[in-house]
Amino acid sequence: MGDWKIGDDRRRRSTDQLRAFAEANDGQVAWDTEAPADFTYLFHPDRVLVRAADVEAFESTVARLGDRVLSGELRRDDVSLLDDELVRYVLPERREGQSVPEVLDLLEEGGLRRGAASPDHWVHVSPGGGGGTTCPAIEPQETGLTEPWPPQAPQPEGQEVSVVVVDTGWHPPAATDPRTPWLAGVEGDDELNGPDLRPYAGHGTFIAGVVRCLAPLTRVFVEGFAVGGLGGGGVLESDLVVQLEEALAHDPQVINLSAGCRTRLDLPSIALETFHRTRLSRRDCVLVAAAGNDSWAAPFWPAAFDWCVGVGSLDRDGRVSEFSNFGVSADVYALGRNVVNAFPDGTFVCHESPDKGDVRVFGTGLARWSGTSFAAPVVAGLIAREISATGASSADARDAVLARAVHDSDPMVGPLRELRQPYA
């Protein structure tokens, strides 16, 4: 019996997502379990990431133990990542087909410090492990509404604020579409939409729209990491930090990243930690990230970092959405269920259970979508609005916005508020 026939819709949906993602990235996707529905994290089957400070220890351990598992020479990739603060290696063929995590297990048993080396994980806007999902909790849905929700905020007095949305790309017609006037002036990497919409088409545009509705005085740029449908909506950690570095060229005060991943042994992402240490921590800029949609408390990176604002999802009645992650990855919760904003016109064929094969036709310039993907830009927009209105630094604006959140000892219940914080 095929794995897709086993279990409930969530399990089937997770399998659908992973199979589609693996097909879009042929030969570059591996996972940590036998059954696709049970995976915890995704990684490149041959790459290893190492911090510059750990290179000597890593190479010496491979030289001492590598013959037990590797059938050739370790190769250091010639790509420069964060001025060589992050080093990428390519493993040769393994003698018994061991995976990258299994090779790292051997090296750590042989004395390499745990966490010195890591798989090159896939960061994605959708697939998650354990039968769950990650950032969109559902595929986009048609809506009869003609206005966004959350609605457009009144134009505040204040300064213009720079926000970069690092995502799947931008739909340029939305900037001049009379149905979405709040997106006028937004720019970004064209995701090259046609009449037949790909999975995750419009994801970055939708998120840019949420930011603009909350903070009209923003200069928004959408930095695309999977434009033209490349990568199936995902990006490797080592490539994501390049995109984040490019995002900094726009001098953002806020970055929104509605994507993330689990990692081997739930260790912090080496690539994202190095980006923060060498780049982000030296600037007046705040990173806001989605907490993920797997309904669990395991760390989801980068949302789980203490330097990142991780955002979980609320339903419209103020309850934490059943799909939302919680715990270390969710510093705060905001509306993420049935959000309405800009979306390309076209025909979309659902790819995931239980709606697989359903045809949805979008022709109003808007869609309805749910997930922590869409809660994150609510918080990013509120932080940008605070900077605009008060002239505060990004860090001070972040702290002010979070301080206004309503604390709750049980985040699963309570009245609708703008923001909620758990476990006061």
Side-chain angles (χ1 to χ4, degrees):
M1 181 182 292
D3 181 76
W4 66 274
K5 297 180 180 179
I6 302 172
D8 59 16
D9 286 339
R10 287 173 63 87
R11 183 176 173 83
R12 293 189 183 101
R13 183 165 186 248
S14 187
T15 301
D16 290 340
Q17 289 177 334
L18 181 49
R19 287 182 171 171
F21 183 59
E23 183 178 351
N25 297 279
D26 185 34
Q28 298 186 74
V29 180
W31 52 92
D32 63 324
T33 58
E34 182 175 354
D38 298 326
F39 80 92
T40 304
Y41 59 92
L42 308 177
F43 57 94
H44 192 285
D46 299 312
R47 290 183 182 174
V48 173
L49 301 180
V50 182
R51 295 182 188 86
D54 294 313
V55 161
E56 183 177 352
F58 174 73
E59 291 185 352
S60 64
T61 306
V62 171
R64 182 162 44 87
L65 301 173
D67 287 346
R68 293 168 52 183
V69 62
L70 305 178
S71 62
E73 294 295 320
L74 177 71
R75 178 170 66 85
R76 179 169 172 163
D77 222 336
D78 59 4
V79 64
S80 177
L81 300 171
L82 303 175
D83 294 333
D84 294 324
E85 288 288 336
L86 181 68
V87 180
R88 192 167 71 193
Y89 292 88
V90 179
L91 296 182
E93 185 176 347
R94 273 71 81 191
R95 296 188 185 280
E96 298 181 11
Q98 292 94 336
S99 68
V100 169
E102 289 170 334
V103 172
L104 294 179
D105 288 344
L106 170 69
L107 298 179
E108 290 174 356
E109 290 168 5
L112 183 66
R113 180 179 61 82
R114 174 169 288 189
S118 166
D120 194 356
H121 299 98
W122 281 98
V123 178
H124 202 282
V125 300
S126 189
T133 59
T134 300
C135 286
I138 59 170
E139 293 178 281
Q141 298 175 318
E142 306 101 320
T143 179
L145 297 178
T146 58
E147 297 291 334
W149 187 266
Q152 297 179 71
Q155 182 79 19
E157 295 290 332
Q159 65 188 45
E160 186 179 61
V161 179
S162 175
V163 178
V164 173
V165 173
V166 179
D167 212 274
T168 59
W170 163 243
H171 184 60
T176 54
D177 192 326
R179 299 170 299 180
T180 55
W182 58 91
L183 284 171
V186 173
E187 298 179 319
D189 296 323
D190 191 343
E191 67 181 5
L192 306 174
N193 290 312
D196 296 323
L197 300 176
R198 298 177 297 270
Y200 320 123
H203 191 264
T205 300
F206 193 102
I207 288 166
V210 175
V211 172
R212 263 295 183 81
C213 284
L214 272 296
L217 279 178
T218 49
R219 183 175 69 258
V220 179
F221 187 89
V222 183
E223 178 75 34
F225 63 66
V227 295
L230 300 175
V235 61
L236 287 158
E237 288 175 284
S238 61
D239 296 324
L240 176 60
V241 294
V242 174
Q243 295 294 327
L244 288 168
E245 190 168 28
E246 290 180 5
L248 293 179
H250 297 277
D251 198 23
Q253 291 146 288
V254 181
I255 296 175
N256 187 96
L257 179 64
S258 287
C261 66
R262 292 282 298 278
T263 58
R264 171 180 175 261
L265 304 176
D266 285 326
L267 294 168
S269 161
I270 285 178
L272 291 166
E273 182 278 327
T274 303
F275 168 75
H276 174 258
R277 176 173 51 83
T278 64
R279 298 292 189 275
L280 193 63
S281 65
R282 302 175 183 180
R283 305 176 69 111
D284 180 28
C285 181
V286 168
L287 179 66
V288 179
N293 299 332
D294 298 298
S295 305
W296 55 22
F300 188 71
W301 309 100
F305 282 111
D306 59 6
W307 46 262
C308 179
V309 181
V311 185
S313 173
L314 290 176
D315 293 346
R316 292 198 186 189
D317 63 0
R319 296 176 184 268
V320 172
S321 306
E322 56 84 20
F323 55 76
S324 180
N325 284 354
F326 51 94
V328 69
S329 302
D331 299 303
V332 69
Y333 297 86
L335 179 69
R337 173 89 75 175
N338 292 331
V339 178
V340 176
N341 218 288
F343 193 78
D345 291 343
T347 301
F348 180 84
V349 180
C350 293
H351 293 73
E352 300 167 5
S353 299
D355 301 317
K356 196 170 184 177
D358 284 359
V359 177
R360 298 174 179 174
V361 178
F362 294 89
T364 65
L366 300 176
R368 180 162 51 92
W369 223 338
S370 297
T372 59
S373 270
F374 316 114
V378 171
V379 176
L382 290 171
I383 294 172
R385 187 181 183 89
E386 181 74 14
I387 297 170
S388 178
T390 67
S393 70
S394 298
D396 286 346
R398 171 200 62 201
D399 294 345
V401 168
L402 295 182
R404 289 198 292 268
V406 176
H407 288 265
D408 198 330
S409 60
D410 181 0
M412 297 303 293
V413 296
L416 177 62
R417 303 290 178 88
E418 188 175 69
L419 294 174
R420 298 181 72 80
Q421 287 185 340
Y423 311 121

